[in-house]
């Protein structure tokens, strides 16, 4: 029943390694988002997408790539992981249009880069 | 670029008290104002939203919005220990982006 799912839920990576975080939504929303959450910073937008095939840079895109192969799936890719990317990552989906800004979040992925 | 700030950073209130959380924003064209609640180890979840000036009440929760002052707030009446969580305010000026504040951590003591 969960409308937004993420995998993996926990990940330990080594510095310089490649990490892919996956997100799937069954809300049929056009928009999808990747955020990271660190203490004192709230939710910071990394990349977002307004439909299959599109990706846009958010506020902190450096060191991250994104891929939206379908309406349902949105991935976040760390080509060369660094310890500064240790964080909790949330995926979200949302509708398009004024008055439809509510976002629905997945359960999060805790990433540790050693 | 939209700036969203919350106060206080953290708050401890006794059970049964009124809790007030504040959020200021910088873009006067903002159209969507919301509060999200995040319990420890869980995902943020939308609590309430408002689109026009004034007040909106849902149960023990009330949002006040004053666009001219670039300010909105959340008030929790009869606070309960289950209300203990991180509260995030969120603002959108339309389009795809929602900007979140850094959060207020609320602890309601029994």
């Amino acid at each position: 029943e969960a409308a937004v799912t993420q995998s993996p839920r926990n990940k330990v990576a080594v510095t310089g390694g490649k990490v892919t975080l996956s997100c799937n939504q069954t809300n049929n929303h056009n928009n999808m988002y990747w955020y990271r959450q660190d203490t004192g910073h709230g939710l910071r937008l990394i990349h977002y997408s307004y439909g299959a095939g599109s990706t846009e840079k958010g506020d902190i895109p450096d060191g991250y790539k994104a891929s939206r192969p379908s309406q349902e799936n949105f991935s976040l890719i760390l080509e060369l992981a660094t310890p500064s990317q240790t964080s909790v990552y949330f995926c979200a989906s949302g509708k398009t249009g004024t008055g439809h800004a509510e976002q629905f979040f997945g359960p999060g992925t805790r990433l540790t880069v050693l | 670029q939209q700036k969203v700030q919350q106060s206080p950073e953290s708050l401890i209130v006794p059970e049964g008290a009124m809790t007030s959380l504040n959020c200021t924003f910088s873009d006067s064209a903002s159209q969507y104002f919301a509060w999200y609640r995040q319990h420890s180890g869980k995902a943020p979840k939308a609590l309430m939203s408002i689109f026009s000036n004034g007040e909106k009440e849902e149960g023990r929760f009330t949002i006040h919005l004053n666009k001219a002052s670039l300010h909105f707030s959340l008030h929790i009446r009869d606070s309960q220990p289950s209300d203990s969580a991180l509260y995030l305010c969120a603002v959108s000026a339309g389009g795809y982006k929602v900007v979140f504040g850094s959060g207020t951590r609320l602890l309601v003591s029994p």
Side-chain angles (χ1 to χ4, degrees):
Chain A
E1 296 151 344
V4 182
T5 56
Q6 294 182 231
S7 63
R9 294 294 312 280
N10 291 281
K11 173 75 177 178
V12 179
V14 296
T15 298
K18 182 177 181 179
V19 176
T20 300
L21 306 183
S22 300
C23 179
N24 176 277
Q25 58 108 354
T26 57
N27 293 322
N28 198 30
H29 289 158
N30 290 332
N31 304 335
M32 295 188 74
Y33 307 83
W34 276 107
Y35 294 92
R36 62 178 286 175
Q37 185 175 39
D38 305 285
T39 303
H41 289 281
L43 292 164
R44 292 186 289 174
L45 182 64
I46 305 170
H47 284 287
Y48 62 101
S49 167
Y50 48 84
S54 84
T55 60
E56 303 291 334
K57 293 181 178 180
D59 299 321
I60 54 164
D62 293 346
Y64 302 93
K65 290 172 57 177
S67 174
R68 182 87 181 270
S70 65
Q71 176 84 339
E72 297 78 20
N73 296 293
F74 191 36
S75 298
L76 185 69
I77 304 147
L78 291 67
E79 295 277 5
L80 294 170
T82 68
S84 65
Q85 293 175 313
T86 293
S87 188
V88 179
Y89 291 84
F90 286 99
C91 174
S93 72
K95 296 180 183 179
T96 297
T98 303
H100 294 288
E102 181 177 351
Q103 297 190 3
F104 298 82
F105 287 83
T109 295
R110 183 173 295 277
L111 173 65
T112 303
V113 183
L114 302 175
Chain B
Q1 187 175 358
Q2 176 87 265
K3 301 292 184 188
V4 178
Q5 292 188 303
Q6 291 187 236
S7 64
E9 289 187 9
S10 63
L11 188 59
I12 302 175
V13 301
E15 184 176 354
M18 172 74 83
T19 296
S20 295
L21 310 177
N22 298 292
C23 187
T24 59
F25 54 97
S26 60
D27 187 347
S28 58
S30 298
Q31 302 168 3
Y32 165 82
F33 308 88
W35 287 94
Y36 285 69
R37 184 167 66 181
Q38 184 180 20
H39 286 109
S40 182
K42 303 294 185 182
K45 186 174 181 180
L47 187 61
M48 289 182 71
S49 61
I50 192 168
F51 300 95
S52 56
N53 267 344
E55 177 180 305
K56 180 179 179 181
E57 181 178 338
E58 292 181 0
R60 296 184 294 110
F61 299 88
T62 303
I63 291 184
H64 288 281
L65 171 63
N66 185 329
K67 285 189 178 181
S69 300
L70 304 177
H71 175 267
F72 67 111
S73 57
L74 177 70
H75 304 274
I76 307 174
R77 177 172 46 84
D78 187 23
S79 300
Q80 298 296 307
S82 58
D83 295 329
S84 298
L86 180 69
Y87 288 79
L88 299 162
C89 66
V91 183
S92 177
Y96 310 105
K97 282 187 65 174
V98 174
V99 180
F100 290 86
S102 57
T104 293
R105 190 162 298 280
L106 172 66
L107 177 63
V108 181
S109 59

